[in-house]
Amino acid sequence: MKRLLASSAVMAFSAVVLAAPAPSQALMPAAVTRTPAGNFHPVSPQRVVDTRSAGGMVHAGQVVTVPVTGQGAIPAGGVQAVVVNLTAVDPASSGWFTAYPFGGTVPQTSTLNFRSARTGAVTATIPVGADGKIAVRGGRGSANLLVDVIGWYSSATSTATGGTLLNPQDPYRSIDTRAGGGAIPVGRTAINEFSFYDGSGSRLKAVVANITAIPTSGSGGYLTAWSGEGTRPGTSTLNYAPGEVSPNTTTIPVVYNRTDALGNSWYRYAITPGGHGSVNVIVDIAGYYTTAADGVGAVFVPLSPTRLADTRTGAGGVSGKRGTNSTTNLLLPSTLVSLSRTQAFAGNLTATGATKSTYQTIWSGTAPTDSSTTNVEPGYDRANGALVLTMLNDNATRLRYAVFNRTASADFVVDITGRFDTSPDQPAAAPKKSAKRIVSSRTYLVPAKGSSGDRSE
């Protein structure tokens, strides 16, 4: 059994408009004193490991030690966990990497699965271990390793200001170039502008999004997701191969534009392809990070990576491949979550053993969704990170979630790596689930800006 663990003109090409809420006449709530533990701090992507230039390929059983605290915008202390983009470059053979706190026990789960000769990436949140480091271990196969830090969570001892709280949701499709405008050519950048309803008046700093690349030409490449302001980072967010659908769930910083007459704030982010040809892009947004002076939102609570479900072995009470258009409803173990405070969990969904190409989606299971989490082909495994909204089951005794399989039959594996609990600073009268949401959006193309030095494959 495998272990899974040019010109200045712009061109509009898609728009989504939803019903706008009525302007709020209420006074903004008073600010509260914020507790730093579990607050998220987005940073400009910074490469901290590139074994192509130092160390060479990472082989099975080899451990790469990654210092993260004190690097760039990451403080030397008060860091609970880091959010990193892991990339396996030019693998010599198929395999996986496992990331974990340095000095800790190696989890019996994988973080990134990769295929021979195909560069792949995943974003993961890793608690910081001894001496401010994380570790990445080769589980099987050989590949070069890139590690880019894109954010960090503060600990209770942090003195940093400006931390954000998470407002999770079921995935909302923000961009689908197949439905309007067509593929994004290399040399252009897609800008997505959206209006954001937020009655508390907090400022949006980043979104959690699953980005999927669908190449239209015979060439591979990569996508960089960024704010669209200033110099484009010289790092990649995801990599794609010819003829392969490739996803990665990540965090994208956003830039504030303006506030409209309805009181909605407008923000933007950018997607820039690199390589050759053109690529269709899908973006599904699953959460918002806001400064939330009112204390409304959720904080991150790290957990030891734990397997929740595996249809190959029956773990989690489910067994056997899932059929076409099947939804599997699952319950979270009460020992891993707080019934009254947990709003969402972070983890991995791995699709494996597919009889045909398919996609799978992990979400709250509350209503049908047109979003995807991971895409897989027969004979291969594909894992992707996910932020999963949790809901009470029918008798309000457990938290639930669901996994959907689209085509043919395939197995799935679900691992949990952390949860998001209602902030201890949130006023008692505030609703547990946030009303923050995207009201309308539009996407257009602009010439791609130069980067700070493309170091991504």
Side-chain angles (χ1 to χ4, degrees):
M1 180 181 297
K2 297 179 181 178
R3 181 183 176 193
L4 296 179
L5 303 186
S7 73
S8 61
V10 300
M11 178 177 69
F13 69 96
S14 68
V16 177
V17 179
L18 304 177
S24 174
Q25 302 300 319
L27 294 175
M28 293 303 176
V32 298
T33 301
R34 290 279 299 282
T35 303
N39 284 225
F40 179 66
H41 302 256
V43 299
S44 180
Q46 178 178 351
R47 183 147 295 166
V48 292
V49 167
D50 186 342
T51 64
R52 297 172 301 178
S53 57
M57 281 204 170
V58 180
H59 306 289
Q62 183 179 345
V63 176
V64 177
T65 302
V66 185
V68 288
T69 58
Q71 303 291 314
I74 311 299
V79 178
Q80 179 191 71
V82 290
V83 182
V84 295
N85 204 57
L86 304 178
T87 306
V89 181
D90 296 331
S93 54
S94 298
W96 69 82
F97 290 142
T98 297
Y100 58 98
F102 177 71
T105 302
V106 181
Q108 297 301 305
T109 57
S110 59
T111 307
L112 168 62
N113 296 76
F114 51 82
R115 293 171 57 175
S116 177
R118 294 200 176 186
T119 298
V122 72
T123 300
T125 300
I126 313 298
V128 173
D131 299 325
K133 301 172 184 176
I134 64 172
V136 181
R137 183 182 187 274
R140 190 181 65 190
S142 299
N144 276 301
L145 171 68
L146 309 181
V147 181
D148 302 318
V149 179
I150 63 173
W152 60 282
Y153 289 96
S154 50
S155 70
T157 62
S158 174
T159 58
T161 59
T164 62
L165 300 177
L166 176 71
N167 295 271
Q169 65 170 30
D170 273 330
Y172 161 83
R173 183 143 292 178
S174 174
I175 297 177
D176 188 344
T177 61
R178 302 170 303 172
I184 306 170
V186 171
R188 307 286 280 179
T189 290
I191 303 292
N192 182 253
E193 288 187 340
F194 59 92
S195 61
F196 183 68
Y197 172 67
D198 179 6
S200 68
S202 46
R203 290 297 186 190
L204 182 64
K205 297 299 182 182
V207 295
V208 180
N210 187 45
I211 305 172
T212 304
I214 309 171
T216 61
S217 62
S219 300
Y222 62 88
L223 298 177
T224 297
W226 57 301
S227 67
E229 185 173 71
T231 302
R232 174 164 51 92
T235 57
S236 60
T237 303
L238 70 81
N239 302 75
Y240 56 88
E244 183 179 52
V245 179
S246 301
N248 188 22
T249 297
T250 191
T251 300
I252 311 174
V254 300
V255 175
Y256 170 75
N257 283 346
R258 59 187 172 86
T259 299
D260 62 24
L262 293 175
N264 299 315
S265 299
W266 284 79
Y267 297 86
R268 71 175 185 272
Y269 64 88
I271 306 285
T272 304
H276 304 280
S278 59
V279 59
N280 276 305
V281 175
I282 299 171
V283 179
D284 297 321
I285 295 179
Y288 312 102
Y289 283 105
T290 70
T291 52
D294 61 343
V296 175
V299 296
F300 180 68
V301 180
L303 299 171
S304 297
T306 302
R307 183 137 296 169
L308 296 178
D310 187 339
T311 60
R312 303 165 305 164
T313 65
V318 290
S319 182
K321 293 182 183 294
R322 307 291 98 173
T324 298
N325 290 330
S326 67
T327 295
T328 304
N329 295 299
L330 298 149
L331 296 174
L332 282 161
S334 299
T335 55
L336 294 177
V337 295
S338 167
L339 187 66
S340 62
R341 302 195 69 85
T342 299
Q343 297 187 24
F345 73 89
N348 273 6
L349 172 66
T350 303
T352 183
T355 57
K356 292 182 179 179
S357 296
T358 186
Y359 70 81
Q360 294 179 349
T361 306
I362 185 169
W363 88 116
S364 72
T366 302
T369 177
D370 61 356
S371 299
S372 60
T373 304
T374 191
N375 305 73
V376 69
E377 301 170 13
Y380 297 98
D381 308 326
R382 172 60 69 82
N384 191 21
L387 171 66
V388 187
L389 184 70
T390 58
M391 305 293 287
L392 287 171
N393 65 347
D394 289 343
N395 58 6
T397 58
R398 299 276 294 276
L399 293 177
R400 60 179 171 84
Y401 67 101
V403 176
F404 173 78
N405 182 72
R406 177 64 181 90
T407 306
S409 62
D411 285 299
F412 68 77
V413 179
V414 180
D415 299 316
I416 186 172
T417 57
R419 69 177 195 250
F420 290 89
D421 288 356
T422 301
S423 168
D425 307 317
Q426 180 164 309
K432 179 180 176 182
K433 302 297 182 182
S434 172
K436 298 177 175 68
R437 65 188 185 276
I438 291 176
V439 177
S440 62
S441 68
R442 70 186 187 109
T443 305
Y444 57 89
L445 296 180
V446 299
K449 297 180 181 180
S451 77
S452 56
D454 285 320
R455 298 167 290 167
S456 308
E457 293 299 324

